[in-house]
Each structure stands twice: as C-alpha cells, then as structure tokens.
Amino acid sequence: MEAAPRSWQFSLSNWPVTRKVGIVLVLPVLLAATFAVLRINSELQTISKLSAASEQMDVLRPTVKFLTSTNELAVAAIVGGNQDVDADLDAATAKFDQAQAELETALKSSNADPGVVKELSTAVAVSKTMRNSLRTSSPQTIGDQADEVQTRAQNALAGAPTIGDLRVQQSFLQFGAALTSSRLLTQERIMLAAPGAAANPALRTKLLTAIGAEITMIEVYRGMAPDAAQNANVLRDNAGARVGILMQNVPDPGNLPAMQDSLRASADAYSNETASVANSMDSKLSQLTTEARNNVLRDTSVVIGMLLAGLALALIVARSLVVPVRRLRRDALQVAHIDLPQELEVVRAGGATPEISPVDVHTTEEIGQLARAVDDIHSQALHLAAEQARLRLQIGNMFETLSRRSQSLVEQQLSLIEELERDEDDSERLQSLFRLDHLATRMRRNGDNLLVLAGTALRRGHLAPVPLSDMLWSSVSQVEDYQRVEIGTVPDGIVAGEPAVDIEHLLAELIDNALRYSPPTTPVAVSVARAVDGGYLIEITDRGLGMNAEDLQGINDRLASGGEVNVETARRMGLFVVGRLAKRHHITVSLRRTSAMVQQPGITASVHLPGSLVSPAPERVGDPTGQFPVASALPMPPAALASGPIPAAALLSGPIPADAGQLPMGPGQIPMPAGRSPVRTPWSTRRG
C-alpha cells in the first residue's frame, strides 16, 4: 500500500522521526551536559564513599592487629592448657590487651559506618569474654570464641560502604581473602593444639579439610592480584607441607618441629600480607579522592549553564515520540492478545466478520503509517480467517457427501452379501462370502474416517443401546487379522447407541494399529475392567517394537488435543480420528509401553470410558458371574467362557459343537452361526 502524502504543516506531531531525532541532535552539547550531570553526581557519591572508606581505614589497621593478637592468645591458651604459670600465655595476653585498647580508641574517635562499628564492638566484647575465661574454658569454647571474633570482623568489612573503582574493590576483596585464609590457619592451629588430637581420626579429617580450604583461598587471593600477592607461594608451600605431614599418619603431628615451623611461617606471612594490602588500599583511596574532587569541579563548571535548556528541549521532543509509540503499543497488544483472538473465534464459529477498531494514532508520519499497517494486518487476518472457515466448511461438506455416497454403496453391498449368505449352502462359497463381508465392513470404516474428518456423526437416527461385549467384537470385525485378537472377560455394561458407534470406531482404529505394528505371530490382547470412578477401562496390548519416549509423548499430546488438524493429520489419519472421537465423548485415550524388560516392549493403548457413557446391565437370573456372554455375538457356546479369555481366532475357526446350530464345516473354513456373519454383530450393520 502506498504511504499517504505527508502534511508539511508546522505540526510537531506530524514531523518524520528522522527530523525529530535531528532536532534532538542539533545541540549535542545539551546531551553531553545531561550525561555530565550524571557523572558529577556519580563523582560526588564516589567522594562520599571514599571518605567513608578513609574513615574505615583508620579502623582497619588496629582491627588487623587486634585479630592477630586474638588468634595468638587463643592458640597460646590451648597449647598451655590450664597451667598456673605460662610465660607464653602471659605475653600473648599483654599483646591482646594493648591491641584491644587501641581498637576501642579508634572506634570512639572514628566516623566509620555504624554497622561497622557495631560489628567490631561485638567482636571486642566476645574477645574480652574469651580473655577473662582462658584458664577455665575448654579448648572447644576458646576456639569457637576466636572464630566468632574473626566472623564479626569479616562481617564488618563486608558491610562497609563499597567503592565503584575496581582497584579499590580488588584490594578489599583481596584483604577479605587474606583474613579468611588467616582464620582457617587459626582453626588448624587450635585443632593441632587440642588435647587428644593425635588419637582422633575425625579431627584429622577435619584438619585436612581446613587445610584444603586454606589452599583454595590462597589461590583465590593470588588470582585477584598476582603481582601484589608476594607471599602466596610461601603460604601455599607451608599448607602443602602440613598436608604432607598429616598424610604420613605420625602419632602426634602437632608437636613435630616441621609442623610448628610451618604454622609459624604461615602466621608471619599472613601478617605481612594483610599489612601490605592495607597500605595499598590507603594509597589508592588517597589518589582516588584527589582525582574525584578535580573531576567534580571541572564538570560542574561546564554543565550548569546548559542543563536547563537542554533538558527542556529533550523532554518536548521525547514526548512527541513516546506518546504515539505508547498508544501504538497499547492498541497493538490489545489487538494481538484480546481483540483478534475473540474475533477469530466468532468467525471460525460461522459468525459475520466484525469491524475492526483502528489504532488510536492518527498522525501522518512514520508512527501513524505503522498504526495504519497494524489496522490493515488486523483486517486481513479477519478476512483470511473467514475464507478459511468457508473453505473448511466446504471441504467438510465434500468429505461428508463423498463418505455418504460411498457408504450407501457399501451398505447395499453388505445387504446383498447377507442375502447371498442366507441362501448359500456350499461351505467354501459361504466362507468366501464371509471374507467379502469382512472387507466391506473395513471399507465402511475407512468411509467413516471421512465423516470424522468432516466433523459429522457416523450414524444418524435413533440407535438402540448395545452391550459392551457386542461393541468390542464389532470393533474386532472391522480390522484385518482379527484372528489374532484375544478378548478377556467383559464386565456387564450397556452403551447408548450413538456413542457406541463412535466408541466402536475408536477401538477399531486402535486394534488395527496394534495389529499392523506387531509381529504377525503374536496376539493382541483386549482387556476390560471397571474403573474406580464408575467408568470402564479398556486396554489394547501388543508386543511390537514399541516407540521411543519422545514419539510416545508427542502422540499422547496429539490425542489429548482432541483431533487437532495439522500437518500430521493426513499421514496419521487413525490418530486424528481417535483424538476427535475421544474429545466428542470426553473419553481419555493414552499410549504407554507395555513392558521395558523385553526386546519387543510393545504398546498398550488405554481407553477410559466415563460412567456417563456406560450404564450397568440389568441383572439376569442364572448368571452368578455378572458377565456378558461373549458368545452372544459370535459362534461359541456360553460354557466355553468359563475357562477365561477367548482368542478371536478360537471363536472364528475350529470345530463347532453340533448343538450350536452351525452349518457343516469344511477344512479351513470360518465357522458361523446359521444366517450370521462371524465378523459383524447385528447392531453394527445399521445404516445411517
């Protein structure tokens, strides 16, 4: 469609999008000023965070000293036990008291974040508790208290204000990794110094785990800043040496000189690393603070004069773009998700094509043209749906007409065959007539498929109710190789006439599929049982090659969709027919593997008939089993049912008792009762 001529009136809403963008870009300085304002704000925030970080650095150094002294005090207390006089413990206590006093002084005079101060104050309180009960507490208690102090200090570091500069963040992360590694080393020293550690295998395992975690954190520490991690190799080698000593299974590894040297060297290395990282952070913070202040002064002088004019013009132009786009988006979504689906349902149901509501954008520029294009698409979609509905109706009518004409001929053929069967005495010719009768019945089933595809009923008029057993045998009569079908005991049940026709056809399609895709030497079993909801469950089981899980899931999805017409319909007509008939009567059909333990797992088709389709049969005197006699539809004495499931081949071949009213049989002939085909029950020959 040709675009409508543009109106060159002085109307901003009718200008092309390119002109609008050009206006926005006329004064690029305004945009630069806008971004500069954002940058100034970012720089001011950076300065604030740098100031907070500088305040934190005033507390960080005494915190590191405090943590080191706390760890040394805990290790000295556990190593010395409960001795009244211990020079090492007294020296560690003195260093701890000095470090604690320095940290408390720094916290009082600092303007650090309140969360940081709170965590560090809690750590100091816990450390005081540990210091006052060193000679009375157990090693486990001392270790837990020292670990809590470390945890509080690390929480304080994690909760401090963050800096956007990657260099500072890297230093803070590296410092946290160093503290974590030092904390793991303290846990190792406490475990090695604990009484009875040498005789405790579980403690040895826990110790190896702690050393492994320390090695991991050392590698993390090194990866953050390889150039700054000067003692990383020393720390890793010492940790590896401790692992080697423990793997030798020596009786008391904690008292070995090599172990003590390794622990002492690691503790010294961690002290050096934390001090180095702290100095690096202090230097970086000072440099960044100076840079941020200079940037703020420079950017502020450029932006302030142009900010207001640039913002005003940008808002006006942006509004002329945003408002139509929002309207177009709103109306397009309304059409796509609400209006069009509802209108398509009306058209597909045979209703008149509704008028569309145009998109509420009436300009002549690109956005307005796009709105008119959406209206055109909306209108064309409705017209196309209407054409498809008419075409679908015409095709359905053609299918129905073709099927009705074909079925009329088939019914005439069946009537003629029945007359010939009644007048024929020769057993060989009679058997040929039976086979011809069976082929005609299968031809009628193929014609019924066209009726299902057209969406019409298979039979018309009033149809009498049918016993469930007769319906099953009539389904078998419509398939090839019916001799391979075995039907078990069938519970009592009466199916209404019209649903019975559809159910018979549905079962015939499933039985035919089972026969086609299973070896010709194997039977196909049909079993019927009452369901817990009052309905009936019919299962058709074969022993074919089966299907993979993906194909099985796809077929079950198509069955559940109720016979939806798609590209697979022509190739799998039986699947479409089963799904369409099941949806018509609210029947549940699903396929599953018969067995997963054999070479040929086969497929089991489950058909659940709801209780509304099958009603209980009236009770009969002299039938204690409450089952329908299968022989009512086929030539088999009722007494033969007592032995269990009867294969169809057994009912359709072999000798027939003389008192059953059968005609004389020749070799290889198909048995039948007088005047009746063995493959069609009386109710299945009704004409529609």
Side-chain angles (χ1 to χ4, degrees):
M1 184 183 67
E2 293 292 335
R6 294 178 179 174
S7 175
W8 296 105
Q9 301 175 359
F10 189 78
S11 175
L12 188 60
S13 60
N14 288 331
W15 285 4
V17 174
T18 54
R19 179 175 294 187
K20 296 175 182 177
V21 175
I23 292 177
V24 174
L25 297 177
V26 166
L27 299 175
V29 178
L30 294 178
L31 295 179
T34 302
F35 287 109
V37 170
L38 298 177
R39 180 172 179 177
I40 291 174
N41 182 51
S42 176
E43 294 292 344
L44 292 175
Q45 293 179 358
T46 301
I47 292 176
S48 176
K49 292 180 180 179
L50 289 172
S51 300
S54 299
E55 294 289 342
Q56 182 180 347
M57 288 301 302
D58 295 338
V59 181
L60 186 61
R61 296 181 186 277
T63 300
V64 173
K65 184 177 180 181
F66 167 73
L67 293 176
T68 303
S69 64
T70 301
N71 294 337
E72 294 296 333
L73 178 62
V75 173
I78 295 175
V79 171
N82 294 327
Q83 300 179 8
D84 295 333
V85 178
D86 189 343
D88 293 338
L89 180 59
D90 293 340
T93 303
K95 291 182 180 180
F96 171 79
D97 292 339
Q98 181 181 358
Q100 176 184 323
E102 292 178 0
L103 179 59
E104 289 179 337
T105 302
L107 291 175
K108 292 179 181 178
S109 59
S110 174
N111 294 324
D113 185 77
V116 175
V117 175
K118 180 180 179 181
E119 288 290 340
L120 291 178
S121 299
T122 305
V124 171
V126 174
S127 66
K128 287 182 179 180
T129 303
M130 181 188 72
R131 183 245 187 271
N132 295 331
S133 59
L134 290 176
R135 300 186 184 277
T136 59
S137 298
S138 64
Q140 178 66 33
T141 302
I142 296 175
D144 293 341
Q145 290 174 337
D147 189 69
E148 184 179 356
V149 172
Q150 289 275 358
T151 302
R152 294 289 184 179
Q154 287 186 317
N155 291 341
L157 180 63
T162 57
I163 306 299
D165 189 89
L166 293 178
R167 294 170 294 176
V168 178
Q169 290 183 357
Q170 186 180 42
S171 297
F172 271 95
L173 292 175
Q174 191 178 20
F175 185 76
L179 288 182
T180 302
S181 300
S182 176
R183 175 183 176 184
L184 293 170
L185 176 65
T186 302
Q187 294 177 1
E188 297 168 21
R189 296 174 68 185
I190 291 174
M191 284 188 284
L192 287 171
N200 191 345
L203 188 60
R204 183 184 295 269
T205 302
K206 187 176 180 181
L207 184 60
L208 287 171
T209 303
I211 297 175
E214 181 188 359
I215 294 175
T216 301
M217 290 307 303
I218 291 172
E219 293 301 328
V220 172
Y221 172 77
R222 182 208 300 272
M224 292 179 181
D227 297 336
Q230 301 176 359
N231 295 313
N233 291 331
V234 175
L235 293 171
R236 185 188 60 187
D237 294 341
N238 287 327
R242 292 194 291 276
V243 172
I245 295 172
L246 292 175
M247 296 302 294
Q248 296 175 4
N249 293 325
V250 295
D252 191 4
N255 292 327
L256 291 179
M259 180 66 78
Q260 293 296 328
D261 293 341
S262 173
L263 294 172
R264 191 175 302 106
S266 294
D268 294 339
Y270 280 127
S271 298
N272 294 334
E273 285 298 311
T274 52
S276 175
V277 174
N279 292 333
S280 175
M281 286 192 295
D282 196 4
S283 175
K284 291 177 181 178
L285 287 174
S286 299
Q287 180 183 357
L288 290 174
T289 302
T290 302
E291 292 178 358
R293 288 173 180 171
N294 294 335
N295 291 337
V296 168
L297 293 176
R298 181 194 61 203
D299 295 341
T300 303
S301 60
V302 175
V303 170
I304 291 178
M306 306 176 66
L307 180 61
L308 295 177
L311 288 176
L313 184 60
L315 287 175
I316 294 173
V317 177
R319 187 178 183 279
S320 67
L321 285 170
V322 171
V323 172
V325 170
R326 285 181 177 176
R327 292 178 182 173
L328 176 61
R329 176 182 178 274
R330 179 197 62 199
D331 291 353
L333 291 176
Q334 175 77 13
V335 169
H337 297 293
I338 299 177
D339 294 346
L340 185 57
Q342 293 177 351
E343 293 165 352
L344 290 178
E345 289 295 329
V346 173
V347 172
R348 289 169 180 169
T353 304
E355 293 292 332
I356 66 170
S357 298
V359 177
D360 188 20
V361 177
H362 305 289
T363 58
T364 59
E365 36 80 74
E366 285 85 346
I367 298 178
Q369 296 172 17
L370 182 58
R372 301 290 75 76
V374 172
D375 293 339
D376 292 340
I377 293 173
H378 187 184
S379 177
Q380 291 297 327
L382 291 179
H383 287 299
L384 179 60
E387 290 294 331
Q388 289 180 346
R390 286 191 291 270
L391 180 61
R392 190 179 298 110
L393 180 60
Q394 293 171 0
I395 293 176
N397 292 335
M398 288 191 297
F399 283 160
E400 182 178 4
T401 302
L402 180 62
S403 177
R404 297 294 183 191
R405 291 181 177 180
S406 175
Q407 284 193 334
S408 176
L409 297 177
V410 172
E411 295 294 347
Q412 294 178 25
Q413 182 181 7
L414 287 172
S415 298
L416 180 59
I417 293 172
E418 287 179 357
E419 292 178 2
L420 294 175
E421 289 173 354
R422 284 193 295 269
D423 299 335
E424 184 59 52
D425 295 333
D426 186 270
S427 59
E428 293 183 359
R429 292 181 181 177
L430 188 59
Q431 185 178 12
S432 299
L433 289 174
F434 289 164
R435 292 173 180 170
L436 186 61
D437 186 304
H438 178 66
L439 290 175
T441 303
R442 289 165 54 196
M443 290 172 58
R444 183 177 61 184
R445 179 165 63 89
N446 292 333
D448 287 342
N449 286 344
L450 293 178
L451 292 178
V452 175
L453 184 61
T456 59
L458 298 182
R459 302 290 184 271
R460 294 174 178 173
H462 176 72
L463 303 177
V466 181
L468 185 60
S469 58
D470 287 357
M471 184 187 68
L472 291 175
W473 281 112
S474 183
S475 299
V476 174
S477 72
Q478 300 183 34
V479 300
E480 191 176 4
D481 289 341
Y482 56 85
Q483 297 91 343
R484 292 168 48 200
V485 181
E486 296 179 355
I487 298 182
T489 303
V490 181
D492 288 352
I494 298 294
V495 184
E498 182 178 354
V501 174
D502 292 345
I503 297 172
E504 171 203 351
H505 193 88
L506 181 150
L507 295 175
E509 291 290 342
L510 293 175
I511 295 173
D512 183 68
N513 183 78
L515 291 170
R516 288 178 180 272
Y517 295 98
S518 61
T521 58
T522 60
V524 171
V526 179
S527 61
V528 186
R530 292 294 298 269
V532 294
D533 61 349
Y536 287 78
L537 180 64
I538 303 174
E539 292 192 335
I540 302 167
T541 304
D542 65 70
R543 286 296 180 179
L545 295 177
M547 305 172 64
N548 59 45
E550 183 178 357
D551 291 342
L552 202 60
Q553 181 62 38
I555 288 179
N556 284 326
D557 291 342
R558 284 191 287 273
L559 287 173
S561 67
E564 180 182 355
V565 179
N566 52 37
V567 295
E568 295 288 332
T569 300
R571 192 165 64 91
R572 296 183 176 180
M573 178 64 71
L575 184 66
F576 168 82
V577 170
V578 170
R580 178 65 65 86
L581 294 177
K583 182 180 180 181
R584 181 180 297 176
H585 299 288
H586 306 288
I587 299 172
T588 303
V589 181
S590 63
L591 304 183
R592 71 174 190 276
R593 290 183 179 178
T594 302
S595 173
M597 305 300 293
V598 294
Q599 259 187 332
Q600 295 180 338
I603 293 295
T604 295
S606 298
V607 180
H608 177 260
L609 305 179
S612 59
L613 294 180
V614 186
S615 58
E619 296 183 359
R620 288 156 299 164
V621 179
D623 186 10
T625 61
Q627 310 294 329
F628 272 106
V630 179
S632 64
L634 292 172
M636 175 63 65
L641 296 176
S643 59
I646 307 296
L651 294 173
L652 300 178
S653 63
I656 303 299
D659 58 354
Q662 307 298 320
L663 294 175
M665 302 300 298
Q669 291 178 335
I670 302 176
M672 62 166 281
R676 178 182 297 179
S677 167
V679 292
R680 283 190 297 115
T681 57
W683 70 276
S684 67
T685 62
R686 297 190 184 95
R687 294 159 176 78

